[in-house]
Amino acid sequence: MAATSFISHSPFLPKTIRFPLNQKPFSQIPISPLKPTPKPLSLRAVLAQDPTKTLTQTTPFEHCFTKSSDGFLYCEGLKVEDVMESAERRPFYLYSKPQITRNFEAYKEALEGLSSVIGYAIKANNNLKILEHLRQLGSGAVLVSGNELRLALHAGFDPTKCIFNGNGKLLEDLVLGAEKGVFVNIDSEFDLENIVAASRIAGKKVNVLLRINPDVDPQVHPYVATGNKNSKFGIRNEKLQWFLDAVKAHPDELKLVGAHCHLGSTITKVDIFRDAAIIMVNYIDEIRAQGFEVDYLNIGGGLGIDYYHSGAVLPKPRDLIDTVRDLVLSRNLNLIIEPGRSLIANTCCFVNRVTGVKTNGTKKFVVIDGSMAELIRPSLYDAYQHIELVSPSAGAEISTFDVVGPVCESADFLGKDRELPTPAKGAGLVVHDAGAYCMSMASTYNLKMRPPEYWVEEDGSVVKIRHGETFEDHIKFFEGL
Ligand SMILES: Cc1ncc(COP(=O)(O)O)c(C=O)c1O
């Protein structure tokens, strides 16, 4: 029997659903809900009773996920609790497609008046549907592996808007990059040798940028600082002349088109970008003085977001671009930027159910079904991501909890010392700002299979954009062995 799944909408959205939540996209066969139901699953991801309340009130914090005054969390006007009911399983990632568009448009508007390439850093989130959407909006792509290059090509990105980065690029991947005509960043002496070899194999000259470490402190967690003098990435300025001579020695293989730096990630002060850009344009002056026609300045990615939801005034894309605009114009350069986090992080929540609450000694724990396997940033970087319940919990005692997963590691936590109403078993709980470096870093540790992903579209429909991995997927790795 065909499922009669539907999503009901508020009066201000069209009553269309492109793809009911519990259907497979290709077969149109409904996936069984977690709990078998005697009749076809009836999905109701309803909008707020009063839609004007959903996006504006209660907090000045601008976000596509908003706690309305009725105590429910909404994504673009859809109740997250209702989406939870209809998703094929928990945990899952839930995105706002319109927020992705808004974030990209913010960069595009900021770049008006400059010749530029926005290269979305695929490492932040490699969901194919998201890549295709960004490509349609006009984005290029920044790649740090051969498979990211293949995925970018598969998603239809224009190779001349793609930049291939990395401190350990492999020859076969460089050959593909050379064949397709992407920009390649030179990261080291051996990398230059490999790019030359790739050019010869592909029979194509490669447009290269030199990745130079400006040695500006990005003031971020050491694991995400990349532009300092002792970094494993890029080259030291003392070696610049060696690299320029090496490029000159390979006129048939290499065309030096620019200079690149990437300082780090989660940067919240745009002065840092300006300090680096000043150093970089000085290098470009030096390089041009030797007769190279370099036209591109690539200042990398790295803009941070308000993970704390504190309402802090953090720099926006326009602030970032404005701080380097005069430098770019003064040298008549094309600007390449490589945003990842600031394009995608705030477009997504990681949605979980509470399995239970427990106490040990002086500690209280909320145990959820999601874990460090699906979202490792808190465990890996001690990163803060805001956590809240998706529905009101009137009368529940407020306590301080560690929010933890079921993975067999004490490092398995999503948040520490969080003040939350004591949640009931089965309550919905989200980890915010989960669009960047969350799903792309997910593992199957403890055989927690990677979760499905959904997004809310402009018309309010919820669409699955990635299947969840299954136990059967795991068994397939051993078939025929
Ligand atoms: C070379 C390069 N470019 C761009 C990025 C994207 O950085 P972010 O996601 O902080 O914008 C990274 C990530 O660290 C990177 O290594």
Side-chain angles (χ1 to χ4, degrees), residues 121 123 142 165 211 260 262 264-266 301-303 338-341 437:
K123 63 188 276 202
V142 167
N165 272 308
R211 179 166 179 171
H260 170 241
H262 172 71
S265 202
T266 68
L303 194 62
E338 305 183 330
R341 189 184 312 274
Y437 307 105

Short mmCIF file of all heavy atoms in Angstrom, two decimals, residues 121 123 142 165 211 260 262 264-266 301-303 338-341 437, ligand 1:
data_model
loop_
_atom_site.label_atom_id
_atom_site.label_comp_id
_atom_site.label_asym_id
_atom_site.label_seq_id
_atom_site.Cartn_x
_atom_site.Cartn_y
_atom_site.Cartn_z
N ALA A 121 34.99 25.31 0.52
CA ALA A 121 35.91 24.26 1.00
C ALA A 121 35.11 22.98 1.27
O ALA A 121 34.44 22.85 2.30
CB ALA A 121 36.62 24.72 2.26
N LYS A 123 35.88 20.18 2.23
CA LYS A 123 36.18 19.41 3.44
C LYS A 123 35.17 19.70 4.55
O LYS A 123 34.93 18.87 5.41
CB LYS A 123 37.60 19.69 3.92
CG LYS A 123 37.83 21.13 4.32
CD LYS A 123 39.30 21.44 4.61
CE LYS A 123 39.69 21.08 6.02
NZ LYS A 123 40.90 21.83 6.47
N VAL A 142 37.00 24.18 -3.29
CA VAL A 142 38.37 24.00 -2.79
C VAL A 142 38.51 22.56 -2.33
O VAL A 142 37.69 22.06 -1.56
CB VAL A 142 38.64 25.00 -1.65
CG1 VAL A 142 39.90 24.64 -0.88
CG2 VAL A 142 38.77 26.39 -2.23
N ASN A 165 44.29 22.02 -3.08
CA ASN A 165 45.21 22.29 -1.97
C ASN A 165 45.75 21.00 -1.39
O ASN A 165 45.21 19.94 -1.67
CB ASN A 165 44.43 22.95 -0.83
CG ASN A 165 44.36 24.44 -0.95
OD1 ASN A 165 45.38 25.09 -1.11
ND2 ASN A 165 43.15 24.97 -0.88
N ARG A 211 51.68 28.49 -2.01
CA ARG A 211 51.09 28.64 -0.66
C ARG A 211 52.20 29.07 0.30
O ARG A 211 53.11 28.29 0.62
CB ARG A 211 50.45 27.33 -0.19
CG ARG A 211 49.89 27.48 1.21
CD ARG A 211 48.96 26.36 1.60
NE ARG A 211 48.46 26.55 2.96
CZ ARG A 211 47.51 25.82 3.50
NH1 ARG A 211 46.96 24.85 2.82
NH2 ARG A 211 47.11 26.03 4.73
N HIS A 260 48.94 32.12 -2.33
CA HIS A 260 47.87 31.61 -1.47
C HIS A 260 48.33 31.56 -0.03
O HIS A 260 49.50 31.30 0.25
CB HIS A 260 47.49 30.19 -1.94
CG HIS A 260 46.57 29.46 -1.00
ND1 HIS A 260 46.92 28.28 -0.38
CD2 HIS A 260 45.32 29.73 -0.59
CE1 HIS A 260 45.90 27.86 0.35
NE2 HIS A 260 44.92 28.73 0.24
N HIS A 262 46.43 30.33 3.95
CA HIS A 262 45.24 29.98 4.73
C HIS A 262 45.71 29.96 6.18
O HIS A 262 46.57 29.17 6.55
CB HIS A 262 44.68 28.62 4.31
CG HIS A 262 43.59 28.14 5.22
ND1 HIS A 262 42.34 28.71 5.24
CD2 HIS A 262 43.58 27.17 6.17
CE1 HIS A 262 41.59 28.10 6.14
NE2 HIS A 262 42.32 27.16 6.72
N GLY A 264 43.97 29.60 9.16
CA GLY A 264 43.39 28.69 10.13
C GLY A 264 41.89 28.82 10.05
O GLY A 264 41.36 29.44 9.14
N SER A 265 41.23 28.25 11.04
CA SER A 265 39.78 28.24 10.99
C SER A 265 39.22 28.78 12.31
O SER A 265 39.94 28.82 13.31
CB SER A 265 39.32 26.79 10.76
OG SER A 265 38.03 26.77 10.23
N THR A 266 37.95 29.15 12.31
CA THR A 266 37.23 29.75 13.45
C THR A 266 37.76 31.12 13.83
O THR A 266 37.70 31.54 14.99
CB THR A 266 37.22 28.83 14.73
OG1 THR A 266 38.54 28.74 15.25
CG2 THR A 266 36.70 27.46 14.43
N GLY A 301 40.30 30.40 3.69
CA GLY A 301 39.00 30.50 4.39
C GLY A 301 39.26 30.90 5.82
O GLY A 301 40.24 31.58 6.11
N GLY A 302 38.37 30.48 6.71
CA GLY A 302 38.69 30.62 8.12
C GLY A 302 37.77 31.47 8.96
O GLY A 302 37.94 31.51 10.19
N LEU A 303 36.79 32.16 8.34
CA LEU A 303 35.93 33.02 9.14
C LEU A 303 35.11 32.18 10.13
O LEU A 303 34.52 31.17 9.76
CB LEU A 303 35.00 33.81 8.20
CG LEU A 303 34.26 34.99 8.83
CD1 LEU A 303 35.25 36.05 9.33
CD2 LEU A 303 33.33 35.63 7.80
N GLU A 338 38.20 31.00 0.29
CA GLU A 338 37.93 29.56 0.43
C GLU A 338 37.08 29.27 1.67
O GLU A 338 37.49 28.52 2.55
CB GLU A 338 39.26 28.81 0.54
CG GLU A 338 40.23 29.06 -0.59
CD GLU A 338 41.50 28.23 -0.46
OE1 GLU A 338 41.92 27.92 0.66
OE2 GLU A 338 42.06 27.88 -1.51
N PRO A 339 35.89 29.86 1.77
CA PRO A 339 35.11 29.64 2.99
C PRO A 339 34.50 28.25 3.08
O PRO A 339 34.04 27.70 2.08
CB PRO A 339 34.00 30.70 2.89
CG PRO A 339 33.84 30.94 1.43
CD PRO A 339 35.19 30.72 0.80
N GLY A 340 34.53 27.69 4.25
CA GLY A 340 33.84 26.42 4.50
C GLY A 340 32.84 26.66 5.61
O GLY A 340 31.64 26.80 5.39
N ARG A 341 33.36 26.74 6.82
CA ARG A 341 32.54 26.88 8.03
C ARG A 341 31.50 28.01 7.93
O ARG A 341 30.33 27.82 8.24
CB ARG A 341 33.46 27.15 9.22
CG ARG A 341 32.80 27.11 10.57
CD ARG A 341 33.79 27.49 11.66
NE ARG A 341 35.04 26.80 11.54
CZ ARG A 341 35.31 25.58 12.03
NH1 ARG A 341 34.38 24.94 12.69
NH2 ARG A 341 36.51 25.03 11.87
N TYR A 437 32.26 20.39 9.33
CA TYR A 437 33.20 19.53 10.05
C TYR A 437 32.47 18.62 11.05
O TYR A 437 33.01 18.32 12.11
CB TYR A 437 34.29 20.36 10.74
CG TYR A 437 34.98 21.29 9.76
CD1 TYR A 437 34.72 22.65 9.77
CD2 TYR A 437 35.84 20.78 8.80
CE1 TYR A 437 35.31 23.50 8.85
CE2 TYR A 437 36.44 21.62 7.87
CZ TYR A 437 36.17 22.97 7.90
OH TYR A 437 36.74 23.81 6.98
C1 LIG B 1 43.34 25.41 2.62
C2 LIG B 1 42.03 25.60 3.28
N1 LIG B 1 41.15 26.44 2.72
C3 LIG B 1 39.93 26.65 3.28
C4 LIG B 1 39.56 26.01 4.43
C5 LIG B 1 38.19 26.29 5.00
O1 LIG B 1 38.28 26.91 6.24
P1 LIG B 1 36.96 27.36 6.99
O2 LIG B 1 36.05 26.21 7.00
O3 LIG B 1 37.41 27.74 8.35
O4 LIG B 1 36.39 28.52 6.24
C6 LIG B 1 40.45 25.15 5.05
C7 LIG B 1 40.09 24.51 6.33
O5 LIG B 1 40.77 24.55 7.30
C8 LIG B 1 41.72 24.92 4.45
O6 LIG B 1 42.60 24.09 5.00
#
